[in-house]
Amino acid sequence: MEPLERYRPIIDDFEAFIAACERPLGTAVRVNTIAASVEHTLDVLEEEGVAYEQADWNPRVLRLETDSPGSTWTSFHGYTHGQEEVSAVPPVVLDPQPGERVWDCCAAPGGKATQLAALMDDRGTVVANDSNLGRLSALRFNAERLGATSLLVTKSDARNYSMKRLSFDEFDRALVDVPCSCEGTIRKNPDALDEWSEGYVDSVSGIQKGILRRAIQTTREGGTVVYSTCTFAPEENEAVVQHALEEEDCRVVDFEVGLEHDPGLTEWQDRAFDASLEDAIRIYPHQNDTGGFFVAKLEVTA
Amino acid sequence: MAGDGEAGDEQNIGQRFDRLPETPADRTVEGRVSREEVVDYFADRFGIPPETFDDYTFWEKGAGKIWIYAGEAPTPLEVESLGMTCLRTRQEHWKPTTDFVQRVGHHATGCVIDLEREQAERFADGEDQELEWDGDWGYLIAAHSLAGERAPLGIGLYVHGELRSMVPKGRQRDL
């Protein structure tokens, strides 16, 4: 937990934060409304005697009381998909509509991409991209299992993504859920901090900046880009959004989400960030008994 | 472009998605099925109404692997995948995929075998089982009932009094 010590100045009740990070995470699933309604899924879980708790902020997110959520009829039929509760936040913030063109630029293993397709009633186009072949096979497996027919899967480095192969030249929305130092996944993966170093944070933030810039460039004026990470490092969060504000035509916009959270930072160590970064959110594990996440919503301007 | 109106003069290219021609008369690639044939097959074999597919396009990538897609895309197209695989053609008997019948099987009115709980569990685990069936032999949809609704489990092959589970290894579950 030592790398997390640097966040002591910015996190209220730091001891509760550390204690939460040391507790394992429960089992959460998302209802895949492409395959079944929430109501029917709950009926099946009840019939099967699987206890659940529905998340207050999102009726499609369930906490299951089972150690093997994959060995349920709801999983076999693709009604449910194992997905950490906070990882369901960015697609909800992006709010894609049926018929739109949406880019998920770092999409594997596909939990969020299939969630985007479900939010669009599987109508429209979700271009799900990833650069890693092994992770792409997991994305394809999940897309098929969940019955997403609106997904087009590509393998590219998102930083220099080419629109040429597509039948349109800009997206309505983009989800930029980038590779990161994953500090917020410590409850799920106790090894997450083993490889942590300031050097890694710096190098990955360069990649994140490139991906976010490309997503803004490929999104139409007035379109929406959501930037998210599962980490706490301001270098990978506010600093990346700040870079986009300086280099691309966009602004940070406010949004509502029914989970406890902190505002984005406007300063970190010796750096100041734009005041609008307060409209980003930081979700800490002790606030909702979940993993950690950072989410910022951007509007593309002229 | 090769193949303007000439039937049978283009080859299927393995790594590329090509949209299916509307009808057999529109065919330019040897051995490629048409959209009409695919939709008719689902209607004739399983009673799935053709209008179920009105908002979808069908594509071929790989020999006889047919994909169903709801989004926008140019043809031809080289990408990793497009929608989901739904059907295998270019073999003696066409074979739908398990994931596809889980997705659209609730529209089926024919060639559906309804299993009891224990039979459904064995099917999901990939087991073959002996059982009576007075319908057509061949590929059929195995289903069971969940909370009062028919839930398609996947594709089975029925021959000689035996239902063989076609659920792919990675999708099999011990329930």
Side-chain angles (χ1 to χ4, degrees):
Chain A
M1 297 294 159
E2 195 192 319
L4 302 180
E5 195 56 41
R6 68 205 287 262
Y7 307 125
R8 188 180 283 274
I10 59 169
I11 298 178
D12 285 339
D13 203 352
F14 189 76
E15 303 311 323
F17 164 75
I18 290 293
C21 289
E22 285 167 349
R23 281 198 304 274
L25 205 56
T27 297
V29 297
R30 175 176 59 81
V31 178
N32 172 39
T33 51
I34 295 171
S37 66
V38 173
E39 190 184 14
H40 183 59
T41 301
L42 299 184
D43 287 347
V44 173
L45 289 171
E46 271 160 34
E47 188 176 82
E48 295 297 309
V50 180
Y52 63 84
E53 189 190 336
Q54 216 165 353
D56 289 337
W57 69 278
N58 187 338
R60 297 180 185 199
V61 172
L62 311 177
R63 296 177 176 194
L64 290 193
E65 284 179 31
T66 170
D67 292 333
S68 50
S71 296
T72 56
W73 278 121
T74 60
S75 169
F76 179 77
H77 285 285
Y79 300 170
T80 53
H81 178 66
Q83 187 173 344
E84 209 198 311
E85 181 166 345
V86 272
S87 121
V89 171
V92 170
V93 175
L94 189 65
D95 193 28
Q97 302 298 309
E100 286 187 333
R101 298 153 174 172
V102 177
W103 191 29
D104 185 349
C105 49
C106 309
K112 296 183 192 75
T114 51
Q115 186 183 356
L116 293 170
L119 288 168
M120 295 159 68
D121 298 331
D122 205 21
R123 317 301 307 161
T125 306
V126 177
V127 176
N129 177 70
D130 208 276
S131 61
N132 181 307
L133 201 58
R135 286 169 57 87
L136 271 177
S137 75
L139 164 64
R140 291 175 54 181
F141 178 82
N142 285 324
E144 296 240 343
R145 187 180 82 80
L146 300 176
T149 63
S150 55
L151 238 61
L152 188 165
V153 177
T154 61
K155 176 182 178 294
S156 289
D157 184 330
R159 288 173 290 184
N160 45 37
Y161 196 78
S162 168
M163 300 293 287
K164 278 198 183 120
R165 74 192 117 189
L166 303 174
S167 56
F168 46 87
D169 54 17
E170 54 186 13
F171 292 104
D172 297 299
R173 297 171 203 259
L175 179 62
V176 188
D177 184 61
V178 288
C180 69
S181 59
C182 297
E183 295 162 346
T185 66
I186 183 73
R187 300 181 66 181
K188 193 172 57 178
N189 173 16
D191 303 329
L193 300 177
D194 291 356
E195 301 294 311
W196 194 98
S197 71
E198 284 195 23
Y200 179 74
V201 168
D202 286 341
S203 71
V204 79
S205 72
I207 296 167
Q208 292 159 346
K209 286 171 185 168
I211 298 173
L212 177 57
R213 286 189 65 178
R214 186 68 190 134
I216 294 164
Q217 291 161 5
T218 57
T219 300
R220 68 170 168 82
E221 184 184 341
T224 303
V225 175
V226 164
Y227 177 79
S228 61
T229 73
C230 52
T231 207
F232 308 117
E235 296 88 341
E236 300 178 54
N237 293 327
E238 288 86 351
V240 174
V241 176
Q242 176 71 32
H243 181 78
L245 292 174
E246 288 162 8
E247 302 292 332
E248 302 293 337
D249 294 321
C250 64
R251 65 186 187 98
V252 178
V253 294
D254 194 15
F255 62 93
E256 295 292 322
V257 63
L259 279 161
E260 288 281 317
H261 58 82
D262 273 15
L265 302 176
T266 52
E267 54 179 26
W268 169 250
Q269 295 174 346
D270 298 332
R271 271 199 78 178
F273 304 119
D274 192 272
S276 66
L277 272 155
E278 265 186 357
D279 289 334
I281 67 168
R282 296 182 145 258
I283 299 173
Y284 295 117
H286 60 303
Q287 293 176 316
N288 310 279
D289 195 21
T290 62
F293 240 78
F294 172 87
V295 186
K297 186 174 190 175
L298 305 175
E299 182 190 315
V300 178
T301 55
Chain B
M1 281 292 283
D4 285 330
E6 294 284 319
D9 55 358
E10 272 185 66
Q11 296 296 311
N12 183 48
I13 295 172
Q15 286 312 302
R16 199 172 89 174
F17 283 92
D18 283 50
R19 193 166 162 172
L20 295 191
E22 278 303 310
T23 68
D26 301 318
R27 181 185 350 254
T28 59
V29 173
E30 190 185 331
R32 176 165 294 159
V33 296
S34 67
R35 174 193 174 89
E36 186 180 88
E37 290 166 300
V38 167
V39 170
D40 286 351
Y41 165 78
F42 290 132
D44 295 345
R45 177 83 192 160
F46 301 106
I48 299 172
E51 57 269 25
T52 307
F53 305 109
D54 281 355
D55 296 329
Y56 296 93
T57 51
F58 290 93
W59 304 69
E60 182 176 29
K61 187 189 110 170
K65 207 170 174 182
I66 308 299
W67 305 62
I68 182 169
Y69 178 53
E72 298 170 70
T75 183
L77 182 62
E78 287 198 38
V79 292
E80 298 300 312
S81 76
L82 207 54
M84 65 190 301
T85 53
C86 65
L87 184 65
R88 282 272 186 185
T89 62
R90 297 187 194 246
Q91 53 192 32
E92 190 184 348
H93 297 286
W94 290 8
K95 181 187 173 193
T97 64
T98 282
D99 290 320
F100 174 70
V101 303
Q102 283 197 352
R103 176 74 164 81
V104 306
H106 58 283
H107 294 292
T109 55
C111 284
V112 181
I113 189 162
D114 289 295
L115 303 180
E116 299 300 326
R117 184 181 181 99
E118 193 225 348
Q119 295 171 322
E121 286 173 1
R122 291 172 61 185
F123 187 89
D125 205 14
E127 280 182 50
D128 302 337
Q129 46 196 314
E130 309 256 318
L131 52 85
E132 297 277 314
W133 165 252
D134 57 8
D136 280 351
W137 289 16
Y139 292 116
L140 43 71
I141 297 174
H144 68 147
S145 177
L146 276 182
E149 285 181 27
R150 185 191 250 177
L153 291 155
I155 282 289
L157 175 63
Y158 191 85
V159 279
H160 302 295
E162 188 182 53
L163 176 68
R164 297 184 191 157
S165 171
M166 297 284 122
V167 176
K169 265 241 152 30
R171 290 282 274 113
Q172 292 171 7
R173 286 290 179 277
D174 181 8
L175 287 144

